[in-house]
Amino acid sequence: NAEWTLFDGFKIQATYSKLQELKRQGATRTRLTIEDYVATLTAEYYNFVQQRQRLQNYVSAVELSRERLRIVYERWMIGSLSRLDLLQARVDFNADSAQCLKQRELLASSRIRLHELMAQDSLDVNFTASEDDIDLLALPTFDSLWVQTKENNASMLMAAQNRTLADIELRSVRSRNYPYVKLNGGYGYRTNHYGAGTTLSRNQWSGDVGLTVGFNLYDGKRRSEQRNARLNVKNAELEEYDLTLSLYTDLADLWQAYENNRMLLALEKENVVAARENYAIAHERYLLGDLSGIEMREAQKSLLDAEERILVAEYNTKLCEISLLQLSGGITAYLE
């Protein structure tokens, strides 16, 4: 006997659609994981660039402090400066050297973290970044980013797929309200053997085919399951709406931070130019003996602080850029 269901209230179609949607949802989850990884790797890469630039600044500061210590020592030898000036210059030199050593440790930690993210077998392999500075990409307007977010954001796609799955589940439950149609077929074989008589044996073949149409008159769980399925559809719609509001808020906050950091970066670029010119003038006056060691140290510290602020502003702007591209589904731009 064999039976084939021809129609069961569109349940077969709903099941097939559900499997197809689950396949697309799996691809979306994979994409979400890849995007998170690319964002983490990109942020750590530019952190490495930032730490390397900071190390270069500290190395320059050590060189400046060494030169100042040499000048103070020669002047102390000839008696034009006191031992207090010499000790202060040595303290400043040692402080800059200690800061430089700490920065080397931070740079090494960032390098190790990069090797870990790239799944390198050995964490001691040297790593060299191809960029000397933190370059910023040209982002579109806020409205364009929001349009891209609604169309390409992986979490938004996941929410839409969850809503689709809830709709399909409702269709599957409702399919039990329809009648079913089944095709039936079968065959049989019978043989009889006789011990005596004119007929010793007889064989008989028989077959049948039919169509069964039925309807479930009572299903105690049908009504409650349909009610729960409708609630799941409503919940999926509300979750998608809530996610839309959340993404818009996050995008607006990140865009505001991005714009502020860009303006701050432009301001810090002007400050570092002024700080370098100020240090050059202070250095000339110091060589002429027209500036004290404390004032020279202040000029040097002002230059180092200006270089540090511009590094922080560049990195913070880059982090905002990475987050904006991740939200709008364009994080793979860093792979091009």
Side-chain angles (χ1 to χ4, degrees):
N1 294 295
E3 182 180 84
W4 192 340
T5 301
L6 299 178
F7 178 76
D8 63 347
F10 307 104
K11 184 178 180 180
I12 295 177
Q13 293 86 340
T15 302
Y16 180 77
S17 299
K18 180 179 180 180
L19 293 175
Q20 292 297 108
E21 196 63 31
L22 288 173
K23 179 181 178 181
R24 285 189 287 268
Q25 194 175 66
T28 304
R29 286 196 179 97
T30 302
R31 175 190 162 187
L32 186 61
T33 302
I34 292 175
E35 288 182 350
D36 289 340
Y37 169 74
V38 172
T40 302
L41 180 62
T42 305
E44 188 58 42
Y45 171 80
Y46 284 105
N47 178 53
F48 179 84
V49 175
Q50 176 195 215
Q51 299 296 347
R52 187 180 60 181
Q53 288 179 320
R54 185 173 288 117
L55 177 60
Q56 293 173 354
N57 293 338
Y58 285 139
V59 169
S60 298
V62 170
E63 294 299 324
L64 295 177
S65 296
R66 180 182 286 109
E67 177 65 14
R68 176 188 163 207
L69 178 61
R70 184 189 65 80
I71 295 173
V72 172
Y73 179 78
E74 292 181 354
R75 291 181 177 178
W76 175 73
M77 289 294 293
I78 62 177
S80 61
L81 288 179
S82 65
R83 182 171 178 79
L84 180 62
D85 295 323
L86 177 62
L87 293 176
Q88 185 61 51
R90 184 170 297 279
V91 167
D92 294 337
F93 171 74
N94 291 338
D96 291 340
S97 300
Q99 191 67 44
C100 187
L101 289 175
K102 292 179 181 178
Q103 185 56 37
R104 291 184 187 277
E105 178 183 351
L106 294 176
L107 182 62
S109 298
S110 179
R111 175 179 55 79
I112 293 173
R113 173 62 176 160
L114 277 174
H115 284 310
E116 179 187 6
L117 288 173
M118 294 185 294
Q120 295 292 325
D121 295 333
S122 177
L123 300 180
D124 297 329
V125 179
N126 191 22
F127 177 82
T128 302
S130 60
E131 301 178 31
D132 294 328
D133 299 317
I134 299 179
D135 297 326
L136 300 176
L137 300 179
L139 295 183
T141 62
F142 174 79
D143 293 335
S144 298
L145 284 174
W146 174 235
V147 172
Q148 295 175 13
T149 300
K150 290 189 292 184
E151 294 177 353
N152 302 321
N153 180 268
S155 298
M156 185 75 77
L157 294 177
M158 185 79 70
Q161 290 164 351
N162 287 334
R163 176 173 50 81
T164 303
L165 285 173
D167 290 333
I168 294 174
E169 189 64 29
L170 179 59
R171 284 164 45 198
S172 179
V173 174
R174 284 177 174 174
S175 66
R176 292 154 63 180
N177 297 332
Y178 294 88
Y180 57 84
V181 180
K182 297 181 180 180
L183 178 64
N184 307 298
Y187 71 91
Y189 172 74
R190 176 180 295 178
T191 179
N192 295 319
H193 298 275
Y194 306 98
T198 58
T199 303
L200 298 178
S201 66
R202 183 173 62 182
N203 298 325
Q204 183 180 1
W205 286 85
S206 64
D208 63 86
V209 63
L211 200 66
T212 302
V213 179
F215 186 83
N216 292 322
L217 296 179
Y218 176 75
D219 187 347
K221 296 181 180 180
R222 183 188 308 173
R223 182 172 298 178
S224 61
E225 289 180 357
Q226 288 184 4
R227 182 172 59 252
N228 292 336
R230 285 193 294 269
L231 288 175
N232 290 335
V233 171
K234 188 63 177 179
N235 288 336
E237 292 174 351
L238 292 176
E239 288 176 1
E240 185 177 12
Y241 178 72
D242 182 67
L243 179 62
T244 302
L245 294 179
S246 178
L247 286 176
Y248 185 82
T249 301
D250 293 341
L251 190 70
D253 288 342
L254 285 170
W255 181 260
Q256 183 65 38
Y258 175 74
E259 288 293 307
N260 289 341
N261 278 294
R262 285 184 61 188
M263 291 187 290
L264 182 62
L265 180 58
L267 181 62
E268 293 300 341
K269 287 181 179 179
E270 295 180 3
N271 287 340
V272 76
V273 172
R276 287 170 181 169
E277 184 177 356
N278 177 65
Y279 177 80
I281 296 174
H283 187 258
E284 291 295 330
R285 292 182 57 190
Y286 183 73
L287 292 178
L288 296 175
D290 192 27
L291 198 68
S292 65
I294 296 178
E295 292 173 319
M296 180 62 189
R297 179 64 178 178
E298 285 297 322
Q300 180 184 354
K301 190 175 183 304
S302 297
L303 175 58
L304 189 61
D305 290 343
E307 292 173 339
E308 174 64 22
R309 288 195 304 269
I310 197 172
L311 281 179
V312 173
E314 285 179 343
Y315 185 63
N316 289 340
T317 307
K318 194 65 179 181
L319 289 181
C320 291
E321 175 191 288
I322 294 172
S323 298
L324 286 171
L325 288 177
Q326 185 178 10
L327 278 180
S328 60
I331 193 66
T332 54
Y334 295 111
L335 302 180
E336 298 176 357

